[in-house]
Amino acid sequence: MAVNYNSPDQIARLTNYRTAQTLVLLGIFFWEILVTSPFDWSIITGKRKFRWPMIAYFISRVAVGLHLMAIAVNSQGTEVIPCDNQVWILKITDAIAIWSSSILLILRTLAVWASDRRVMIALSIGAAGLIVVYCLTWQPSVNKFNGKSCVILKSVPHRILLTEFVYTM
């Protein structure tokens, strides 16, 4: 039996699920911040030498935090939220977090492989593919405020979303 994801009951159920999931992810994120704060503080105070890849590290952490907080604000709405703005904030913070994390992964891989030319070519092709997949997902979506949060009713085709999720995993 097909599920009608546009029915009010189904939207309410999924909204409650997403709220719980967001709170769990925020808890994990803040626990990770707490556990790694001595390392971050040693960089800020100069006890540990600052290297340029740490820029991507800090950008990634901030983008993930902003993304999770935007989702939490969305799921706790008591007044009408401008859904188009909310969705664009989520898309931008998502893209920044994925890209900065990808840059870190590419740099680590190049360090392990001693900047081998074949590995660099493969990583460049992979990064180009990520750019293409992300460009395909940046399309307007149909959103509505359901009384509690913004709900995306129509977005990019499912095949493109599946490609994005598989590619970024």
Side-chain angles (χ1 to χ4, degrees), residues 37-48 50 54 58:
S37 61
F39 174 78
D40 296 343
W41 188 249
S42 69
I43 293 170
I44 293 168
T45 58
K47 292 180 181 175
R48 189 177 304 265
F50 182 82
M54 292 179 186
F58 284 116

Side-chain angles (χ1 to χ4, degrees), residues 2-159:
V3 177
N4 180 8
Y5 289 104
N6 292 326
S7 72
D9 292 339
Q10 190 66 18
I11 289 173
R13 203 178 109 224
L14 292 174
T15 301
N16 290 337
Y17 168 76
R18 195 177 78 190
T19 300
Q21 182 185 32
T22 301
L23 293 176
V24 168
L25 289 174
L26 266 174
I28 292 170
F29 175 76
F30 282 116
W31 175 255
E32 192 262 339
I33 292 291
L34 182 69
V35 169
T36 59
S37 61
F39 174 78
D40 296 343
W41 188 249
S42 69
I43 293 170
I44 293 168
T45 58
K47 292 180 181 175
R48 189 177 304 265
K49 187 177 177 188
F50 182 82
R51 293 186 164 80
W52 67 269
M54 292 179 186
I55 295 170
Y57 167 75
F58 284 116
I59 288 173
S60 178
R61 289 171 64 105
V62 169
V64 168
L66 290 174
H67 186 78
L68 289 173
M69 285 185 243
I71 293 172
V73 165
N74 180 32
S75 64
Q76 302 299 321
T78 56
E79 296 180 12
V80 175
I81 297 172
C83 292
D84 290 336
N85 297 344
Q86 180 77 13
V87 169
W88 277 104
I89 288 170
L90 291 171
K91 286 181 180 182
I92 289 169
T93 55
D94 178 49
I96 291 171
I98 296 280
W99 267 101
S100 56
S101 299
S102 297
I103 288 169
L104 287 172
L105 185 59
I106 288 170
L107 292 174
R108 288 177 185 152
T109 305
L110 287 175
V112 168
W113 285 87
S115 298
D116 185 359
R117 174 164 260 151
R118 295 173 303 191
V119 174
M120 194 175 296
I121 290 170
L123 291 173
S124 298
I125 291 170
L130 187 59
I131 290 172
V132 169
V133 168
Y134 255 91
C135 287
L136 292 173
T137 62
W138 282 73
Q139 299 175 14
S141 56
V142 177
N143 317 300
K144 87 169 192 181
F145 186 75
N146 71 351
K148 186 172 181 181
S149 67
C150 292
V151 178
I152 298 173
L153 299 176
K154 184 174 187 248
S155 185
V156 297
H158 295 294
R159 288 183 182 155

